[in-house]
mmCIF file of all heavy atoms in Angstrom:
data_model
loop_
_atom_site.group_PDB
_atom_site.id
_atom_site.type_symbol
_atom_site.label_atom_id
_atom_site.label_comp_id
_atom_site.label_asym_id
_atom_site.label_seq_id
_atom_site.Cartn_x
_atom_site.Cartn_y
_atom_site.Cartn_z
ATOM 1 N N ASN A 259 56.139 4.357 -82.276
ATOM 2 C CA ASN A 259 55.847 5.749 -82.586
ATOM 3 C C ASN A 259 56.932 6.641 -82.019
ATOM 4 O O ASN A 259 57.317 6.489 -80.857
ATOM 5 C CB ASN A 259 54.479 6.138 -82.011
ATOM 6 C CG ASN A 259 54.170 7.605 -82.198
ATOM 7 O OD1 ASN A 259 54.005 8.353 -81.229
ATOM 8 N ND2 ASN A 259 54.098 8.057 -83.430
ATOM 9 N N ASP A 260 57.447 7.540 -82.855
ATOM 10 C CA ASP A 260 58.458 8.487 -82.375
ATOM 11 C C ASP A 260 58.433 9.729 -83.261
ATOM 12 O O ASP A 260 57.772 9.739 -84.314
ATOM 13 C CB ASP A 260 59.850 7.842 -82.364
ATOM 14 C CG ASP A 260 60.682 8.293 -81.150
ATOM 15 O OD1 ASP A 260 60.648 9.505 -80.823
ATOM 16 O OD2 ASP A 260 61.360 7.446 -80.531
ATOM 17 N N ILE A 261 59.171 10.728 -82.838
ATOM 18 C CA ILE A 261 59.199 11.994 -83.554
ATOM 19 C C ILE A 261 59.928 11.835 -84.893
ATOM 20 O O ILE A 261 60.852 11.038 -85.009
ATOM 21 C CB ILE A 261 59.876 13.094 -82.686
ATOM 22 C CG1 ILE A 261 59.627 14.486 -83.272
ATOM 23 C CG2 ILE A 261 61.348 12.800 -82.512
ATOM 24 C CD1 ILE A 261 58.212 14.950 -83.132
ATOM 25 N N ASN A 262 59.532 12.603 -85.886
ATOM 26 C CA ASN A 262 60.109 12.493 -87.226
ATOM 27 C C ASN A 262 61.371 13.334 -87.347
ATOM 28 O O ASN A 262 61.434 14.317 -88.086
ATOM 29 C CB ASN A 262 59.079 12.914 -88.274
ATOM 30 C CG ASN A 262 59.494 12.560 -89.686
ATOM 31 O OD1 ASN A 262 60.388 11.732 -89.877
ATOM 32 N ND2 ASN A 262 58.847 13.156 -90.670
ATOM 33 N N LEU A 263 62.382 12.927 -86.581
ATOM 34 C CA LEU A 263 63.701 13.551 -86.632
ATOM 35 C C LEU A 263 64.725 12.451 -86.917
ATOM 36 O O LEU A 263 64.533 11.294 -86.521
ATOM 37 C CB LEU A 263 64.018 14.255 -85.322
ATOM 38 C CG LEU A 263 63.157 15.477 -84.988
ATOM 39 C CD1 LEU A 263 63.477 15.972 -83.582
ATOM 40 C CD2 LEU A 263 63.355 16.590 -86.025
ATOM 41 N N PRO A 264 65.831 12.783 -87.593
ATOM 42 C CA PRO A 264 66.759 11.757 -88.086
ATOM 43 C C PRO A 264 67.175 10.711 -87.047
ATOM 44 O O PRO A 264 67.108 9.495 -87.313
ATOM 45 C CB PRO A 264 67.942 12.564 -88.588
ATOM 46 C CG PRO A 264 67.338 13.858 -89.012
ATOM 47 C CD PRO A 264 66.243 14.144 -88.034
ATOM 48 N N ALA A 265 67.613 11.148 -85.862
ATOM 49 C CA ALA A 265 68.093 10.189 -84.865
ATOM 50 C C ALA A 265 66.966 9.271 -84.395
ATOM 51 O O ALA A 265 67.170 8.066 -84.200
ATOM 52 C CB ALA A 265 68.708 10.929 -83.684
ATOM 53 N N ALA A 266 65.781 9.862 -84.192
ATOM 54 C CA ALA A 266 64.635 9.063 -83.722
ATOM 55 C C ALA A 266 64.177 8.106 -84.806
ATOM 56 O O ALA A 266 63.788 6.961 -84.510
ATOM 57 C CB ALA A 266 63.498 9.981 -83.301
ATOM 58 N N VAL A 267 64.190 8.537 -86.055
ATOM 59 C CA VAL A 267 63.777 7.681 -87.164
ATOM 60 C C VAL A 267 64.725 6.487 -87.275
ATOM 61 O O VAL A 267 64.294 5.333 -87.401
ATOM 62 C CB VAL A 267 63.755 8.474 -88.486
ATOM 63 C CG1 VAL A 267 63.584 7.535 -89.672
ATOM 64 C CG2 VAL A 267 62.614 9.486 -88.464
ATOM 65 N N GLU A 268 66.014 6.756 -87.214
ATOM 66 C CA GLU A 268 67.006 5.670 -87.286
ATOM 67 C C GLU A 268 66.838 4.672 -86.148
ATOM 68 O O GLU A 268 66.853 3.452 -86.353
ATOM 69 C CB GLU A 268 68.416 6.269 -87.266
ATOM 70 C CG GLU A 268 69.520 5.228 -87.384
ATOM 71 C CD GLU A 268 70.913 5.835 -87.348
ATOM 72 O OE1 GLU A 268 71.016 7.081 -87.261
ATOM 73 O OE2 GLU A 268 71.891 5.069 -87.388
ATOM 74 N N ALA A 269 66.656 5.210 -84.926
ATOM 75 C CA ALA A 269 66.494 4.330 -83.760
ATOM 76 C C ALA A 269 65.204 3.517 -83.859
ATOM 77 O O ALA A 269 65.169 2.331 -83.499
ATOM 78 C CB ALA A 269 66.490 5.167 -82.487
ATOM 79 N N SER A 270 64.150 4.134 -84.364
ATOM 80 C CA SER A 270 62.868 3.431 -84.481
ATOM 81 C C SER A 270 62.954 2.281 -85.478
ATOM 82 O O SER A 270 62.425 1.184 -85.233
ATOM 83 C CB SER A 270 61.771 4.412 -84.893
ATOM 84 O OG SER A 270 61.577 5.395 -83.900
ATOM 85 N N HIS A 271 63.593 2.520 -86.601
ATOM 86 C CA HIS A 271 63.761 1.458 -87.582
ATOM 87 C C HIS A 271 64.597 0.318 -87.005
ATOM 88 O O HIS A 271 64.343 -0.873 -87.288
ATOM 89 C CB HIS A 271 64.399 1.997 -88.857
ATOM 90 C CG HIS A 271 63.457 2.813 -89.701
ATOM 91 N ND1 HIS A 271 62.195 2.383 -90.035
ATOM 92 C CD2 HIS A 271 63.614 4.034 -90.293
ATOM 93 C CE1 HIS A 271 61.601 3.287 -90.793
ATOM 94 N NE2 HIS A 271 62.441 4.304 -90.969
ATOM 95 N N ALA A 272 65.589 0.669 -86.179
ATOM 96 C CA ALA A 272 66.403 -0.353 -85.536
ATOM 97 C C ALA A 272 65.563 -1.185 -84.562
ATOM 98 O O ALA A 272 65.738 -2.413 -84.472
ATOM 99 C CB ALA A 272 67.574 0.304 -84.807
ATOM 100 N N THR A 273 64.653 -0.538 -83.833
ATOM 101 C CA THR A 273 63.779 -1.262 -82.910
ATOM 102 C C THR A 273 62.839 -2.184 -83.673
ATOM 103 O O THR A 273 62.610 -3.334 -83.264
ATOM 104 C CB THR A 273 62.973 -0.275 -82.052
ATOM 105 O OG1 THR A 273 63.870 0.563 -81.329
ATOM 106 C CG2 THR A 273 62.088 -1.014 -81.074
ATOM 107 N N VAL A 274 62.307 -1.699 -84.793
ATOM 108 C CA VAL A 274 61.462 -2.555 -85.642
ATOM 109 C C VAL A 274 62.247 -3.776 -86.117
ATOM 110 O O VAL A 274 61.754 -4.919 -86.066
ATOM 111 C CB VAL A 274 60.925 -1.763 -86.851
ATOM 112 C CG1 VAL A 274 60.275 -2.698 -87.880
ATOM 113 C CG2 VAL A 274 59.908 -0.725 -86.395
ATOM 114 N N ALA A 275 63.480 -3.551 -86.540
ATOM 115 C CA ALA A 275 64.317 -4.657 -87.002
ATOM 116 C C ALA A 275 64.589 -5.651 -85.892
ATOM 117 O O ALA A 275 64.575 -6.873 -86.115
ATOM 118 C CB ALA A 275 65.623 -4.107 -87.559
ATOM 119 N N ASP A 276 64.819 -5.154 -84.681
ATOM 120 C CA ASP A 276 65.066 -6.047 -83.548
ATOM 121 C C ASP A 276 63.837 -6.896 -83.224
ATOM 122 O O ASP A 276 63.962 -8.083 -82.869
ATOM 123 C CB ASP A 276 65.475 -5.241 -82.332
ATOM 124 C CG ASP A 276 66.885 -4.659 -82.464
ATOM 125 O OD1 ASP A 276 67.646 -5.158 -83.305
ATOM 126 O OD2 ASP A 276 67.203 -3.699 -81.717
ATOM 127 N N ILE A 277 62.659 -6.307 -83.318
ATOM 128 C CA ILE A 277 61.430 -7.056 -83.068
ATOM 129 C C ILE A 277 61.228 -8.137 -84.147
ATOM 130 O O ILE A 277 60.884 -9.283 -83.843
ATOM 131 C CB ILE A 277 60.223 -6.115 -83.008
ATOM 132 C CG1 ILE A 277 60.289 -5.271 -81.724
ATOM 133 C CG2 ILE A 277 58.906 -6.897 -83.077
ATOM 134 C CD1 ILE A 277 59.231 -4.196 -81.634
ATOM 135 N N LYS A 278 61.490 -7.789 -85.379
ATOM 136 C CA LYS A 278 61.362 -8.763 -86.458
ATOM 137 C C LYS A 278 62.389 -9.889 -86.297
ATOM 138 O O LYS A 278 62.091 -11.042 -86.618
ATOM 139 C CB LYS A 278 61.519 -8.081 -87.799
ATOM 140 C CG LYS A 278 60.331 -7.178 -88.156
ATOM 141 C CD LYS A 278 60.491 -6.534 -89.522
ATOM 142 C CE LYS A 278 59.247 -5.710 -89.877
ATOM 143 N NZ LYS A 278 59.370 -5.056 -91.206
ATOM 144 N N ALA A 279 63.564 -9.552 -85.767
ATOM 145 C CA ALA A 279 64.586 -10.574 -85.539
ATOM 146 C C ALA A 279 64.141 -11.571 -84.470
ATOM 147 O O ALA A 279 64.601 -12.724 -84.457
ATOM 148 C CB ALA A 279 65.900 -9.925 -85.135
ATOM 149 N N LEU A 280 63.235 -11.110 -83.591
ATOM 150 C CA LEU A 280 62.677 -12.003 -82.569
ATOM 151 C C LEU A 280 61.553 -12.868 -83.123
ATOM 152 O O LEU A 280 61.018 -13.734 -82.419
ATOM 153 C CB LEU A 280 62.117 -11.164 -81.407
ATOM 154 C CG LEU A 280 63.102 -10.350 -80.574
ATOM 155 C CD1 LEU A 280 62.357 -9.428 -79.609
ATOM 156 C CD2 LEU A 280 64.038 -11.269 -79.798
ATOM 157 N N GLY A 281 61.197 -12.621 -84.384
ATOM 158 C CA GLY A 281 60.076 -13.336 -84.985
ATOM 159 C C GLY A 281 58.760 -12.602 -84.864
ATOM 160 O O GLY A 281 57.693 -13.155 -85.188
ATOM 161 N N GLY A 282 58.818 -11.350 -84.401
ATOM 162 C CA GLY A 282 57.601 -10.563 -84.198
ATOM 163 C C GLY A 282 57.250 -9.675 -85.381
ATOM 164 O O GLY A 282 57.968 -9.634 -86.398
ATOM 165 N N GLU A 283 56.166 -8.938 -85.225
ATOM 166 C CA GLU A 283 55.702 -8.009 -86.248
ATOM 167 C C GLU A 283 55.738 -6.591 -85.671
ATOM 168 O O GLU A 283 55.307 -6.361 -84.532
ATOM 169 C CB GLU A 283 54.281 -8.326 -86.677
ATOM 170 C CG GLU A 283 54.105 -9.673 -87.349
ATOM 171 C CD GLU A 283 52.654 -9.902 -87.762
ATOM 172 O OE1 GLU A 283 52.186 -9.207 -88.674
ATOM 173 O OE2 GLU A 283 52.007 -10.762 -87.141
#
Side-chain angles (χ1 to χ4, degrees):
N259 175 242
D260 218 318
I261 193 70
N262 192 17
L263 293 174
V267 169
E268 182 181 358
S270 297
H271 285 312
T273 301
V274 169
D276 288 341
I277 289 173
K278 289 182 176 179
L280 295 171
E283 296 181 69

